[in-house]
Amino acid sequence: MADLSALLDDLRAENADLDALVTGLDTDGLATPTPSPGWTVAHQLSHLAWTDRWSLLSAHDPDGFAAALAKEYATGADAVDRGAAEGAGEPPVTLLARWRAGREEVLATLAAVPADTRLPWFGPPMKAPSMATARLMETWAHGQDVADALGATRTPTARLRHIAHLGVRTLGFAFAINGHPSPETPVRVELTSPDGDLWTWGPDDATDRVTAPALDFCLLVTQRRHREDLAVTAHGPVAHAWLPIAQAFAGPPGAGRPPRER
């Protein structure tokens, strides 16, 4: 079983890394466009605050979560964009304070969730460790958008293992959400960590395999880079079919990013 305390420590550290990027930004800085079409840095932070709010509702009021989710999407499928737009015009101090308060409440709330409790979500229900992993993945992914917008280069850390694990675990989901049956053929995933260690998933003798630096694989499964721009290699039909649709996040299939100009 995943160590929830260690996961929450890593989530806290991921929050802090993103905070370091945005601390001190004024209104113009928060209005910097990011690679997500129509989203500024402020939209990215507002989206994280919005998702934290849903995480808290899921933990505190599971029945209310289901009712609120139905109501949210009854007015259209653009709920995510609406949530991101909530804080796009807020003063920097207000938006940053709201995001910081929400993420700290999520950390405290998840720490108190009973081990056998499954929390409702936009996708399948999940236990607290999986929720913490999902929050870390989202923080890292949207943090990448912010870093790209600000021209910053982030140093990869061992926390990428959580994101990679989620990327591997969602293989079947990625096929299903794109209208394909979940493959029965196992896939071996071998990633080189930022420290040079080898991270592996799947049976040793699997004929379908994916190999990559951990950073590149995480950028792929969060759809922050096009596959053509990454050193990710596939062997076997299932592995080849998976990589173009790989998706570690809940919700409908993402549009991904176009390849960078050569």
Side-chain angles (χ1 to χ4, degrees), residues 21-190:
L21 286 175
V22 300
T23 294
L25 290 181
D26 57 13
T27 300
D28 289 341
L30 287 176
T32 304
T34 71
S36 297
W39 282 29
T40 64
V41 172
H43 283 82
Q44 300 286 349
L45 297 179
S46 182
H47 169 73
L48 289 173
W50 178 81
T51 316
D52 283 339
R53 193 165 72 236
W54 282 102
S55 302
L56 293 169
L57 181 61
S58 172
H60 292 304
D61 185 5
D63 292 336
F65 178 92
L69 192 63
K71 181 179 179 181
E72 182 75 30
Y73 281 91
T75 56
D78 57 346
V80 173
D81 286 326
R82 293 198 304 272
E86 285 180 1
E90 287 183 324
V93 64
T94 304
L95 174 57
L96 289 171
R98 183 164 63 86
W99 169 54
R100 288 166 179 155
R103 76 191 198 207
E104 288 301 317
E105 189 175 354
V106 167
L107 287 166
T109 298
L110 291 181
V113 172
D116 60 346
T117 298
R118 290 190 176 274
L119 305 172
W121 197 237
F122 296 85
M126 63 183 82
K127 295 182 180 180
S130 295
M131 180 72 81
T133 302
R135 299 308 306 127
L136 191 154
M137 177 274 296
E138 268 222 291
T139 302
W140 182 84
H142 291 284
Q144 185 63 50
D145 292 335
V146 172
D148 289 342
L150 300 178
T153 300
R154 302 190 297 175
T155 301
T157 73
R159 296 192 297 273
L160 290 177
R161 184 161 192 159
H162 302 305
I163 302 163
H165 179 71
L166 191 59
V168 173
R169 289 288 302 274
T170 52
L171 183 153
F173 169 77
F175 276 86
I177 202 68
N178 283 276
H180 308 302
S182 182
E184 296 182 3
T185 302
V187 177
R188 171 79 168 180
V189 177
E190 297 182 346

